[in-house]
Amino acid sequence: MLAAGAAHAAPQPGAAYGDHMVLQRGQPIMIEGTAGGGAQVTGTLDGETQRTRADFQGVFRLTFSAREGSTDPLTLTLRDASGETAIGDILIGDVWLCSGQSNMELSVARALNSYNELRLSPDENMRLLMVPKFTAAAPRREFGEPAAWHAATPETVEPFSAACFYMAKKLRADNGVPVGLIHSNWGGSAASSWLSPDHVRTMFGQAALDQLQLYDHDPLAAAQAFVPQWYDWWRANDNGNEPWTNPDMLEWADIPKFSFWNEWRGTGLDTQPAANVWLRQSFTLTAEQARGEGTLSIGAIDDLDLTWVNGHPVGYTFGWGVERNYRVPAEYLHEGENEVLIVASNNWDTGGFFAGPERLFFASAGGDTVPLGADWEYSIGAIADMPPRAPWDGIAGLGVMHNYMIAPLGPMRLAGVAWYQGESDVGPAGYADKLHALFDGWRGQFGDQARMLVVQLADYGTRTSQPVASGWADLREEQRQAVLADGNAALVTAIDLGEPSDIHPANKNVLGLRMALAAEGVALPQPESAALDGDSITVTFSGVVGGLQAYSGPFPLGVELCGDSQETCRFVLARPHGNQLLISADGLPATRVRHGWADAPVVNLYDARDIAVPAFELEIVQ
C-alpha cells in the first residue's frame, strides 16, 4: 500500500533527511528515500547527478561523491516520472548521533549556566534534529511523528541534549566546520533497547526476535505466547498458586479511591508501593455486544500489567504512560457479566492507575461503549518482585528503540556516536558485550568510520569510607573494557562530575568539553598497566598531559590494592610521578589495583588539563 501510494507522488527523502540538514564530510553521501515501486529516480546534489531504481517496495538509495566541509548551502533534488522534490540549505560537516538514557537526554535548560549559554547559543552552522520518542517491535522507515532539522537558536537548543550541545560547541570552535547533531534518547532505557534486530538475535536468540515480530502484527498472540513464562515465574514464587485461574482465592477489598495506590492510606501500599497488586472489575454485555470481537481499554498502568478477560490473557504491557487497548476475541466474551482481572506491577515510585476512570471501558464490535467505572477491587499480591519482562517491553524491550528511533535514520554517514547510558544496566554482567553489539550495529548502519564515544558513569549513591563491592564500578569497568577492545572508540569519564544524591548531575558543560576532545581523537588519561617491581607497584597511564596531580593534598584518593577477594581490598597511599602512580607494597596480597571503585567515589587525580583519571581495575603484573 505504501509503495502504491508513493507511485502517485514525487520521490521523498527518508525520515531523517530534510531542509537545513548536515551531511557528513569526507564520506560518500548516501541518501535514502521512497518513490513508486520500480521507479527510476534521479538525484542532483550541487551539480552532481546520480540515478537509481527504487525496489518493489519503493525504497531507493543514491550515493554521491564525498565532499569537504563547507558552510555554503547546497540543494538536493529528487525526481522521477511523477515529479520532483527539493531539499535546501544543506551543509557539509560532521554529524554526530547522541544517544542513551536520561543523562544524555538531560537538556541544556537543566544544565549549569543555562541562561548565559542559551543567550549565546545561536549558530547557523550548528544544526539539530530531535528524534521523537516511540518504540516498535520491528524496524520502521519513518519516525513516530515528523521531525525536522533546525539551526541552533535559544528555542531549539533549550530542550536539546546538554552533553551533545556542549560537545558540538567545542567542535565548532576548534574545527570551524558545520556540525549536525541527532538527539535520540530515552530516560531509563536499557542498552538492549537500542540493539538492531541482527544483534537481538545474536544476544537473545531467534525465539526472542520471533516474539517481537509476532507482536508487531498480532499483540494478542504475542502476549499469549509470552504469558507461560509469567505463569511459571508466579507459581515458582507463590507456592504454586494460580490466582488467575481462581481469583476468589485472594482476599479482595474495594479500592479506597481511583488513583495511584500510593494514595490508598492505611493499605500498606502508601508506604511500600513496590508491589504486584491484583485488580478486578466486571462489566455486563448484551447478547449483541458479546457477539463480535471487542476492545478493552484500561488506560495507563504504572508500571506493568498482565490483563485477563474471563480468564483469558489479552495483553501484557510495560510503560507508565502507555495507554492499554487490548483486542478481545468474541469467543472470550459472553452475554451477562464478564470479568476483567489485572495484575499491576510497580517497581519504583507511583503504582497503579495513571489517570481517571473515564479512560477504562469496553468497546464492542458494534461501537457500543461500556464504562468500567471507578469501583474496582484490589488484593495485594504475595510477591513484591518485578515479573519477567516481554521482549516488546516499552523501556527495556529488545531493540524497540532502535526500531523507531535509529532505524529511520537510514544509511547516512556519521562522524560517530556519543553514548551515555548504563545506569539501567547496573547489576547484571555482560554490559561490555552489549556495547560491542551496539558498536557493530551502528557501524553497519552509519559506516565503519563512525567513532564511538562512551561516557563512563558519573558518581552517584552512597559515599563510603572503606573499600566496597560496587555494581556501578563493575559497569564502569565494562565500559572501559569495551572501549579498549575497539579500534576507534574513546572513554570519557564523568567520575568527578556527579552528585551523590542526584542521578542527573547538571555539569554537562565540562563533560561536553571532554567529549569533544575524544571526538577529535585527542587522548585522555587512561590506565595502561600495573607492574610490581621489587617492593613498589607502578601504574602507568597514557593520554596524560603535564603529569598527574592530586588536588587538595599530596596523595590521590580512592586508590586500592586487592588480593583475590573483596575482603582483601584496602586503601593505600599512591604518589603521582609524571604519567605514573607509585605505590609502596604493604606486604599484603596484591593482585589488583583499583581507582574510584565505588558507586560514588571521591576522586582528586587529574592531569594538567583538569581531566580526571577514570575509574578502573588493573591486574598487577609480577
Side-chain angles (χ1 to χ4, degrees):
M1 291 177 63
L2 289 175
H8 300 285
Q12 296 298 313
Y17 298 89
D19 295 332
H20 318 301
M21 67 180 172
V22 178
L23 296 173
Q24 180 60 40
R25 62 172 171 157
Q27 293 292 318
I29 293 173
M30 303 183 71
I31 306 293
E32 189 173 81
T34 55
Q40 180 75 35
V41 179
T42 299
T44 301
L45 178 64
D46 190 37
E48 179 184 356
T49 297
Q50 299 292 339
R51 294 178 177 83
T52 191
R53 188 173 296 278
D55 65 20
F56 73 95
Q57 293 180 317
V59 178
F60 67 85
R61 183 174 294 184
L62 291 164
T63 302
F64 295 91
S65 57
R67 295 166 181 264
E68 297 298 316
S70 173
T71 59
D72 296 330
L74 308 179
T75 297
L76 170 69
T77 59
L78 303 171
R79 60 185 179 275
D80 65 8
S82 62
E84 180 177 288
T85 299
I87 306 166
D89 191 28
I90 301 170
L91 305 181
I92 307 296
D94 289 330
V95 185
W96 284 88
L97 168 64
C98 295
S99 189
Q101 58 181 109
S102 53
N103 268 306
M104 183 63 87
E105 186 177 16
L106 188 136
S107 66
V108 173
R110 294 178 58 192
L112 299 179
N113 196 32
S114 61
Y115 174 81
N116 288 316
E117 293 291 353
L118 289 172
R119 181 172 57 85
L120 299 172
S121 65
D123 185 348
E124 276 295 318
N125 295 315
M126 184 191 296
R127 305 291 174 83
L128 314 176
L129 176 68
M130 289 193 71
V131 175
K133 293 167 72 173
F134 287 86
T135 63
R140 302 290 192 258
R141 292 197 178 278
E142 301 295 325
F143 296 130
E145 58 188 32
W149 287 89
H150 298 282
T153 66
E155 293 74 25
T156 60
V157 168
E158 183 177 18
F160 205 81
S161 163
C164 193
F165 170 74
Y166 290 121
M167 175 184 75
K169 187 176 178 179
K170 173 68 170 171
L171 292 175
R172 288 277 298 124
D174 289 352
N175 302 326
V177 299
V179 174
L181 303 177
I182 302 171
H183 173 295
S184 185
N185 301 284
W186 197 310
S189 60
S192 56
S193 298
W194 300 93
L195 294 171
S196 69
D198 285 345
H199 293 92
V200 168
R201 179 190 297 108
T202 299
M203 297 202 69
F204 298 97
Q206 183 64 43
L209 193 61
D210 290 343
Q211 282 197 347
L212 285 165
Q213 292 171 344
L214 178 61
Y215 183 83
D216 194 51
H217 70 267
D218 192 345
L220 175 63
Q224 292 174 330
F226 178 77
V227 160
Q229 297 179 45
W230 191 97
Y231 288 167
D232 289 344
W233 173 82
W234 189 277
R235 283 189 291 256
N237 288 278
D238 190 20
N239 300 312
N241 290 323
E242 298 181 347
W244 58 92
T245 62
N246 179 22
D248 289 332
M249 70 180 291
L250 301 173
E251 294 184 7
W252 294 96
D254 295 335
I255 64 172
K257 59 189 295 189
F258 195 95
S259 67
F260 288 126
W261 60 54
N262 309 60
E263 302 174 23
W264 298 355
R265 302 302 179 197
T267 65
L269 294 169
D270 52 337
T271 58
Q272 182 48 264
N276 294 289
V277 178
W278 297 85
L279 303 161
R280 74 173 177 179
Q281 176 65 290
S282 61
F283 62 98
T284 302
L285 298 178
T286 66
E288 179 63 27
Q289 290 170 331
R291 187 166 293 125
E293 179 179 285
T295 300
L296 178 70
S297 297
I298 58 170
I301 300 291
D302 193 343
D303 298 318
L304 173 66
D305 78 285
L306 173 55
T307 298
W308 296 260
V309 173
N310 295 325
H312 300 281
V314 295
Y316 190 72
T317 303
F318 180 96
W320 42 87
V322 178
E323 294 283 335
R324 275 75 162 167
N325 299 290
Y326 295 141
R327 179 168 67 90
V328 185
E331 57 267 29
Y332 293 2
L333 303 168
H334 53 251
E335 181 182 2
E337 187 175 272
N338 294 259
E339 183 177 70
V340 177
L341 181 68
I342 302 171
V343 60
S345 305
N346 178 50
N347 189 48
W348 179 79
D349 199 21
T350 53
F353 294 117
F354 197 83
E358 69 279 357
R359 291 159 67 176
L360 283 69
F361 55 86
F362 176 82
S364 71
D368 294 338
T369 298
V370 181
L372 297 181
D375 53 339
W376 287 68
E377 293 182 304
Y378 81 100
S379 178
I380 301 176
I383 306 169
D385 294 338
M386 201 68 173
R389 308 269 280 270
W392 58 85
D393 188 300
I395 202 73
L398 305 182
V400 295
M401 292 171 190
H402 165 90
N403 293 336
Y404 232 149
M405 300 176 67
I406 300 295
L409 295 172
M412 62 168 54
R413 304 294 89 174
L414 299 181
V417 180
W419 176 250
Y420 191 167
Q421 189 277 340
E423 298 91 338
S424 291
D425 284 81
V426 170
Y431 189 77
D433 293 334
K434 292 176 184 177
L435 281 184
H436 174 75
L438 286 167
F439 294 170
D440 195 53
W442 290 326
R443 290 193 175 113
Q445 182 172 351
F446 304 122
D448 291 339
Q449 79 291 332
R451 184 164 173 77
M452 302 298 154
L453 311 183
V454 177
V455 177
Q456 190 186 51
L457 294 185
D459 47 314
Y460 167 73
T462 303
R463 300 287 201 201
T464 63
S465 59
Q466 297 295 327
V468 294
S470 167
W472 284 66
D474 288 335
L475 189 130
R476 293 186 189 110
E477 181 62 13
E478 289 207 67
Q479 291 177 314
R480 193 179 73 87
Q481 292 297 332
V483 167
L484 281 175
D486 189 274
N488 188 21
L491 185 75
V492 182
T493 190
I495 194 66
D496 59 326
L497 302 178
E499 297 287 345
S501 60
D502 189 349
I503 200 170
H504 301 124
N507 192 359
K508 300 299 188 286
N509 313 51
V510 170
L511 176 62
L513 297 178
R514 294 177 184 175
M515 290 166 58
L517 293 175
E520 295 168 342
V522 176
L524 305 180
Q526 300 294 336
E528 291 291 322
S529 63
L532 177 64
D533 183 11
D535 60 355
S536 178
I537 297 165
T538 301
V539 183
T540 302
F541 296 81
S542 63
V544 172
V545 173
L548 294 171
Q549 53 190 332
Y551 289 148
S552 300
F555 304 110
L557 300 173
V559 180
E560 305 174 32
L561 290 179
C562 299
D564 294 333
S565 65
Q566 174 61 41
E567 291 72 23
T568 64
C569 295
R570 65 275 185 191
F571 290 128
V572 294
L573 296 180
R575 181 168 56 86
H577 180 72
N579 69 331
Q580 296 179 327
L581 282 183
L582 306 179
I583 306 169
S584 295
D586 57 8
L588 298 175
T591 59
R592 294 166 291 155
V593 59
R594 288 174 168 177
H595 170 256
W597 199 268
D599 292 0
V602 176
V603 298
N604 66 338
L605 184 61
Y606 293 78
D607 76 356
R609 296 168 298 177
D610 203 30
I611 299 177
V613 168
F616 66 86
E617 178 180 75
L618 289 175
E619 290 189 10
I620 299 172
V621 178
Q622 301 294 323

